[in-house]
Amino acid sequence: MTMARRRLGRDGPEVSAIGLGCMGMSEFYGSRDEAESIATIRHALDRGVTFLDTADMYGVGRNEELVGRAIAGRRDEAFLATKFGNVRGADGSFGGVCGRPDYVRSACEASLKRLGVETIDLYYQHRVDPDVPIEETVGAMAELVAAGKVRFLGLSEAAPDTIRRAHATHPIAALQTEYSLWSRDVEAEVLPTVRSLGIGYVAYSPLGRGFLTGQFRTPDDFALDDTRRLHPRFQGENFDRNIALVREVEAMAKQKGCTAAQLALAWVLAQGEDIVPIPGTKRRAYLDQNIGALDIALSAEELARIERIFPAGAAAGDRYHARGMETLNR
């Protein structure tokens, strides 16, 4: 099968229609298996999934190193995206958000070294620093483009006005935020903003951090070190209300002859050719399953049925804990 391609924005790069989020390979989502993770990344390249997403904060740099090892000798096959801005100490402690120009430059140099590459294809500001004008941060990022260290610029979880100001400073190729059946707040203002500016949209957690796969039946299904336990949607009554919605998605998927995960991904893909989801996985089998979503066509009637099951705002609970919510849409 030839991998479908999508363009990030009017004038941006062409990438695989589905990407691979690598975060969980190094942190946050329970146990890790680096050998299988590296095999998964290489299998992604074999299947034509060339859009790889990482960040300097994932595993405190370890995820970039892992991705770098996985693509060694195959750099030309990968479209590599990474991020800066969430500051962490060597012990894993969180030190807030930083968008100062000097930090932008030093963070980029560190990421290039860990990845073992000369150029980053897409460089995102992971979270907006409210204490630094976006023009200063993006101005420093633009210098990295001029120096040949970065090809395209991106933002993550930025508000519409911030996106417009950033884009006026230097063209922004992609905006990344969470988008799935249970996280649809971007439909109100963010998606219309990026579309009006010709900016591509990258959907992270398109499977609701795995919840929409139907694999999890109780909060106890998550390992003790899995940070999803801390997210409101995975707790108490919220979990019960959300799993009831997922069971309806599962029932529809069964009738259609696909998995709940494939149906959820097909829904994201159907929201526009300018949207590229980047589901994360640590295993080759799930990667293949995700790729299968590209073969699922949803009729207008089926999309309407999904809308009835999972209308905007249907999910119970915030998508992050209180501290995480403070860093969004600014």
Side-chain angles (χ1 to χ4, degrees), residues 1 12 22 33 69 79 156 159 167 184 193 203 244 256 288 302 322 324:
M1 182 186 93
C22 300
D33 182 340
R69 292 198 301 275
F79 184 88
S156 180
H167 193 62
R184 297 179 56 183
T193 298
K256 195 165 175 62
D288 286 334
E302 288 170 327

Side-chain angles (χ1 to χ4, degrees), residues 75 80-82 102 104-113 115-124 140-153:
R75 174 65 183 98
L80 194 57
T82 191
D102 60 330
V104 175
R105 290 186 285 268
S106 64
C108 181
E109 292 294 343
S111 287
L112 288 168
K113 183 176 180 180
L115 290 162
V117 300
E118 295 182 355
T119 307
I120 294 165
D121 295 308
L122 176 58
Y123 200 41
Y124 293 101
M141 296 167 71
E143 292 175 4
L144 298 173
V145 175
K149 296 179 179 181
V150 170
R151 292 179 60 210
F152 297 96
L153 302 185

Side-chain angles (χ1 to χ4, degrees), residues 207 212-214 246 249-250 253 258-265 289:
L207 296 176
L212 297 172
T213 66
V246 172
V249 174
E250 286 180 298
C258 64
T259 67
Q262 288 173 328
L263 187 65
L265 272 178
Q289 184 182 122

Side-chain angles (χ1 to χ4, degrees), residues 37-50:
S37 293
I38 288 174
T40 299
I41 293 171
R42 291 174 178 166
H43 184 60
L45 297 179
D46 292 340
R47 293 293 311 273
V49 176
T50 56

Side-chain angles (χ1 to χ4, degrees), residues 231-244:
H231 291 230
R233 292 183 178 176
F234 292 82
Q235 298 174 336
E237 292 183 3
N238 289 343
F239 187 99
D240 295 335
R241 288 171 59 187
N242 292 331
I243 201 66

Side-chain angles (χ1 to χ4, degrees), residues 259-295:
T259 67
Q262 288 173 328
L263 187 65
L265 272 178
W267 179 86
V268 174
L269 288 162
Q271 301 313 300
E273 287 290 324
D274 56 344
I275 296 175
V276 180
I278 51 168
T281 184
K282 300 179 273 189
R283 298 178 180 87
R284 285 167 283 183
Y286 290 140
L287 173 73
D288 286 334
Q289 184 182 122
N290 292 341
I291 293 171
L294 290 166
D295 296 325

Side-chain angles (χ1 to χ4, degrees), residues 64-267:
E64 287 183 325
E65 292 172 348
L66 183 147
V67 171
R69 292 198 301 275
I71 67 171
R74 304 183 66 174
R75 174 65 183 98
D76 292 345
E77 299 176 53
F79 184 88
L80 194 57
T82 191
K83 315 175 197 74
F84 74 92
N86 282 317
V87 183
R88 298 187 68 183
D91 62 353
S93 59
F94 287 85
V97 174
C98 185
R100 295 193 315 270
D102 60 330
Y103 181 79
V104 175
R105 290 186 285 268
S106 64
C108 181
E109 292 294 343
S111 287
L112 288 168
K113 183 176 180 180
R114 284 189 292 264
L115 290 162
V117 300
E118 295 182 355
T119 307
I120 294 165
D121 295 308
L122 176 58
Y123 200 41
Y124 293 101
Q125 183 181 18
H126 206 162
R127 291 292 186 271
V128 174
D129 184 346
D131 298 323
V132 178
I134 193 66
E135 292 83 358
E136 292 185 17
T137 302
V138 174
M141 296 167 71
E143 292 175 4
L144 298 173
V145 175
K149 296 179 179 181
V150 170
R151 292 179 60 210
F152 297 96
L153 302 185
L155 300 175
S156 180
E157 295 289 1
D161 183 59
T162 303
I163 297 166
R164 285 189 285 267
R165 289 166 52 201
H167 193 62
T169 303
H170 184 280
I172 300 298
L175 175 81
Q176 180 180 139
T177 68
E178 185 173 354
Y179 188 41
S180 69
L181 281 172
W182 79 346
S183 293
R184 297 179 56 183
D185 48 301
V186 297
E187 293 175 348
E189 295 184 34
V190 172
L191 265 177
T193 298
V194 298
R195 282 173 167 159
S196 71
L197 296 171
I199 297 172
Y201 184 85
V202 177
Y204 77 79
S205 294
L207 296 176
R209 294 183 171 80
F211 201 98
L212 297 172
T213 66
Q215 294 179 51
F216 306 105
R217 295 300 179 179
T218 76
D220 293 332
D221 288 339
F222 297 97
L224 293 177
D225 61 347
D226 193 316
T227 59
R228 285 174 288 193
R229 284 176 167 267
L230 305 176
H231 291 230
R233 292 183 178 176
F234 292 82
Q235 298 174 336
E237 292 183 3
N238 289 343
F239 187 99
D240 295 335
R241 288 171 59 187
N242 292 331
I243 201 66
L245 296 172
V246 172
R247 290 195 180 105
E248 292 191 57
V249 174
E250 286 180 298
M252 181 176 173
K254 185 175 181 180
Q255 292 173 2
K256 195 165 175 62
C258 64
T259 67
Q262 288 173 328
L263 187 65
L265 272 178
W267 179 86

